[in-house]
Amino acid sequence: MLVYIESKDFQINTFVLKCGTGETLARVKAKILHVLYGMARDDHQFRLRYKGQFLRDAYTLEDYKIIDKSIVKMIPMAKKGESLKSIRASKEANLGSTGQLSEVKLALFEEVATLRWREKMLADFKVFN
């Protein structure tokens, strides 16, 4: 089944995951983290919410009655020493023209990091063949 993971923290607002109904939320989170790692976002912490309820890792998708093509929200968690208010304030402060320029640079750096990672993976794959 397909599960849509919606987040406002990324340029790609929705991630699509292929999951089984018997998979635990911990496994689903691992799949999301794998996608985020590919985008050079290895330190991202989040919780999942479905129909207003935060989901616990030990339960399965079936336990929460999450069916095919359901939308699950990804809620970011504040890092140590940061509060959610400071994160939102820093995002709002970056909305000016210089903020947009820095966001573009950041996006380009992330894209370059992703491409380098893919090239390394391909090179490692060629070595084994």
Side-chain angles (χ1 to χ4, degrees), residues 28-50:
V28 173
K29 282 184 173 181
K31 287 182 179 185
I32 296 169
L33 286 172
H34 183 73
V35 171
L36 294 176
Y37 182 78
M39 297 170 55
R41 300 294 288 271
D42 56 347
D43 64 342
H44 193 70
Q45 295 182 355
F46 59 91
R47 293 182 71 185
L48 297 176
R49 189 174 69 196
Y50 180 67

Side-chain angles (χ1 to χ4, degrees), residues 52-81:
Q53 180 182 16
F54 283 103
L55 308 179
R56 294 184 178 199
D57 291 348
Y59 293 96
T60 64
L61 296 172
E62 188 176 26
D63 292 336
Y64 285 109
K65 297 182 179 33
I66 298 175
I67 59 172
D68 190 27
K69 299 179 184 169
S70 293
I71 298 173
V72 176
K73 305 277 186 184
M74 181 169 42
I75 310 298
M77 293 175 59
K79 296 178 187 174
K80 289 182 180 177

